[in-house]
Amino acid sequence: MNTITTLLRIIAGTAFSGILLLSCSRKIDDYKKFQDNKEVVYSGTVANLTTRPGNLRIKVSWNPSPDPSITGYILYWNNGRDSLVLPATTNKTSDTVSTVISTHLQESDVQSFLLYTYDAAGNRSVGQRTQLTRMYGPIYESSLYNKQLLTNTTPFRIFGNDSVRLYFTKSDSTNIYSKVYYYKQDNTLDSITVSKDSVTLENYKLGTKAAIQSYFLPGLTAIDTFRTRKPDSTILIQFTPYTDTALAYSYRATGTRYNYNSDGSAAGTTAIDIDKQIEKTDYISVRTDDVANLANNGDTRMILTFAADGTIDVSGYIGVTNPIENHPTAGRSYIDRATGDLVMRYKYTNSDGSFRLIEEVWKRK
């Protein structure tokens, strides 16, 4: 029994000694045979690798690595199916290297790019991947709409004889500006860029339409601006004095009321000097409850409708049932384009058949 135990110990010791000898005979760099006796060398990586979307293209940019051995870059996309090789011309980290990719890209794709640096010996860096980036193109462009004039309130206002201010609805932040095309009084076509909710067109030819085309930047980092496919025409812009965003005006009216009996005989005159409050009903009409020297009469309503030539059609009623109408002989009411005063000529009839002919001037207070 003791002989067997001793023999086993000798065998075990011999085997252990053989293992030690074998281990000591291996070199510390034996791993190199798996690397073809070469060390693994990685070239330097870049900083601030970013992408910016555009119109069926994507811009890829980065700051170079300070590694002076880098001789070029290779960029992969479409899951490695497409690539681009670029020479390295600088190793200054303050410089920017960029390229625009447009090959084999679809608007429906969401792309990421994989970048490697490499040196003259063919060593390359660890791969660096960009964030996912969506492009824009015809699909996005078809969803764009031109800036619109206001519809629930005044779309434009005319100043003097030839200046028009247009009022627009609010746009989303991607609408960076719009262009308004219009005819000047000498029939030449002009344009102006607008980035706010209103714009004034000087020397405008009244009785024509302007046209609006809007431009969009789909994101803050986008490299391309998009526009709608064609301009939209506005409404016909003709002379109407009450086309701003205010809902009411105060006037002082002065003039003469000529009184007539029901048989048409004259019954004297009355001086008129009264405040009038005007409310806008739409962009061509206003109304007031203050008629001649009848102030704030709840049963009275006079409506002024402005024509393209600046004349005013007068209508309404006194005491609900008795009509207000245009003056039968003195000519139509009109707006003085130079001063903005309303020169009013109208008639109203009382319930007993007597009537009044009014001639007055309304000056805005």
Side-chain angles (χ1 to χ4, degrees):
M1 184 69 177
N2 289 336
T3 301
I4 294 172
T5 302
T6 300
L7 181 60
L8 290 173
R9 287 176 177 170
I10 291 172
I11 294 171
T14 302
F16 180 72
S17 298
I19 292 171
L20 288 176
L21 288 172
L22 181 62
S23 298
C24 291
S25 69
R26 290 180 178 172
K27 298 178 180 179
I28 195 168
D29 59 355
D30 275 356
Y31 70 91
K32 289 184 178 180
K33 67 184 179 181
F34 299 107
Q35 301 171 354
D36 196 22
N37 271 331
K38 296 179 181 178
E39 291 186 9
V40 176
V41 178
Y42 294 98
S43 55
T45 57
V46 304
N48 301 318
L49 178 61
T50 58
T51 54
R52 298 176 62 188
N55 187 357
L56 295 180
R57 60 184 189 160
I58 296 176
K59 184 176 183 179
V60 187
S61 303
W62 60 88
N63 298 123
S65 167
D67 183 351
S69 69
I70 294 174
T71 59
Y73 308 94
I74 183 166
L75 193 65
Y76 293 94
W77 67 98
N78 274 336
N79 294 321
R81 294 189 297 272
D82 293 290
S83 63
L84 176 68
V85 176
L86 296 171
T89 58
T90 177
N91 64 340
K92 292 182 179 180
T93 57
S94 59
D95 289 341
T96 300
V97 180
S98 62
T99 185
V100 176
I101 305 298
S102 59
T103 304
H104 298 156
L105 295 180
Q106 301 292 329
E107 184 175 359
S108 57
D109 290 345
V110 178
Q111 289 283 348
S112 69
F113 295 83
L114 185 62
L115 178 71
Y116 293 94
T117 67
Y118 62 88
D119 59 22
N123 301 309
R124 70 179 188 180
S125 66
V126 176
Q128 295 174 263
R129 190 173 292 278
T130 68
Q131 75 273 24
L132 293 173
T133 305
R134 172 200 168 189
M135 286 186 314
Y136 301 88
I139 298 173
Y140 170 74
E141 187 180 65
S142 66
S143 70
L144 302 177
Y145 293 91
N146 288 314
K147 199 171 183 68
Q148 300 293 307
L149 292 177
L150 293 175
T151 55
N152 59 347
T153 184
T154 303
F156 64 87
R157 180 183 176 187
I158 297 174
F159 299 88
N161 294 329
D162 60 6
S163 294
V164 175
R165 183 172 296 163
L166 304 181
Y167 298 93
F168 301 99
T169 57
K170 290 190 178 296
S171 302
D172 63 66
S173 59
T174 62
N175 176 202
I176 52 175
Y177 66 90
S178 297
K179 274 195 170 183
V180 180
Y181 300 89
Y182 67 100
Y183 282 100
K184 299 168 69 174
Q185 290 191 352
D186 61 1
N187 290 319
T188 58
L189 185 64
D190 202 355
S191 66
I192 189 170
T193 298
V194 54
S195 57
K196 299 181 179 180
D197 293 332
S198 66
V199 65
T200 299
L201 311 179
E202 303 289 348
N203 198 24
Y204 189 89
K205 183 178 181 180
L206 297 176
T208 63
K209 294 182 178 182
I212 304 170
Q213 187 164 33
S214 296
Y215 294 74
F216 297 81
L217 194 67
L220 293 177
T221 63
I223 60 173
D224 291 316
T225 299
F226 292 78
R227 66 180 181 181
T228 56
R229 292 182 174 178
K230 63 179 182 178
D232 285 339
S233 293
T234 66
I235 57 177
L236 185 69
I237 300 177
Q238 55 191 18
F239 191 85
T240 55
Y242 294 95
T243 51
D244 59 28
T245 54
L247 294 178
Y249 306 93
S250 293
Y251 282 84
R252 188 69 182 180
T254 56
T256 302
R257 187 186 77 185
Y258 297 89
N259 307 314
Y260 293 88
N261 297 314
S262 57
D263 61 4
S265 58
T269 60
T270 304
I272 296 174
D273 189 356
I274 187 175
D275 286 336
K276 293 181 181 288
Q277 190 69 23
I278 305 300
E279 295 182 2
K280 184 170 63 66
T281 56
D282 56 37
Y283 74 91
I284 61 171
S285 300
V286 297
R287 69 186 187 189
T288 180
D289 295 341
D290 307 318
V291 178
N293 59 344
L294 305 175
N296 299 316
N297 189 327
D299 294 331
T300 297
R301 174 67 50 81
M302 184 163 67
I303 298 171
L304 282 59
T305 302
F306 297 85
D309 61 0
T311 60
I312 302 172
D313 182 67
V314 180
S315 60
Y317 51 83
I318 296 288
V320 178
T321 59
N322 302 301
I324 301 174
E325 53 197 331
N326 294 320
H327 198 293
T329 58
R332 290 174 65 84
S333 303
Y334 65 94
I335 181 168
D336 186 322
R337 299 192 180 199
T339 65
D341 295 343
L342 304 184
V343 180
M344 300 301 299
R345 307 284 187 261
Y346 60 96
K347 172 185 177 181
Y348 71 84
T349 303
N350 295 314
S351 56
D352 62 2
S354 61
F355 59 93
R356 309 290 183 252
L357 299 180
I358 313 298
E359 297 183 22
E360 57 190 7
V361 176
W362 300 5
K363 292 181 177 291
R364 187 177 297 192
K365 295 177 64 177

